Amino acid sequence: HDYGKLWDYQMTKNPENPWEATVHKRRVNHIARSAILWETNAQKAGLPEEDTFAVTHAILAHHGSPQWGSPIIPHSALAHLLHACDQLSARMD
């Protein structure tokens, strides 16, 4: 669900702040990139459309609300679970 973050940040030479946001983060964002990559690869693999959409929804909703960056709110058990796990991960690290 966060694979798109690979495009959102780049390393710096500043030891106090080793990562900085890229233009990609402001214009595309990891949520959209992750959903695009998932959809592309799921279609190439021939996964069932219903399963593909379920995961796409969870990726797009994993921040929980538009105010936190999600284009949609969770509407499935999978999406709610991913959002809860993402929040837990963010608070533990």
Side-chain angles (χ1 to χ4, degrees):
H1 75 280
D2 275 344
Y3 183 58
K5 280 191 177 182
L6 292 171
W7 288 264
D8 277 358
Y9 298 96
Q10 62 188 11
M11 290 192 74
T12 69
K13 294 183 181 190
N14 180 353
E16 293 179 23
N17 185 21
W19 295 98
E20 69 182 7
T22 64
V23 172
H24 180 276
K25 182 177 182 189
R26 293 183 297 277
R27 294 190 180 167
V28 177
N29 195 278
H30 77 279
I31 295 173
R33 174 70 63 178
S34 296
I36 291 166
L37 292 169
W38 162 252
E39 286 265 338
T40 300
N41 288 299
Q43 288 174 1
K44 285 181 185 176
L47 297 179
E49 191 172 87
E50 184 178 329
D51 296 339
T52 300
F53 286 160
V55 174
T56 300
H57 170 69
I59 292 169
L60 292 172
H62 83 267
H63 278 198
S65 73
Q67 72 188 41
W68 295 334
S70 278
I72 53 176
I73 62 172
H75 288 289
S76 68
L78 176 63
H80 282 287
L81 180 61
L82 181 56
H83 170 58
C85 291
D86 192 56
Q87 283 191 320
L88 182 62
S89 173
R91 285 173 173 76
M92 292 186 72
D93 192 8

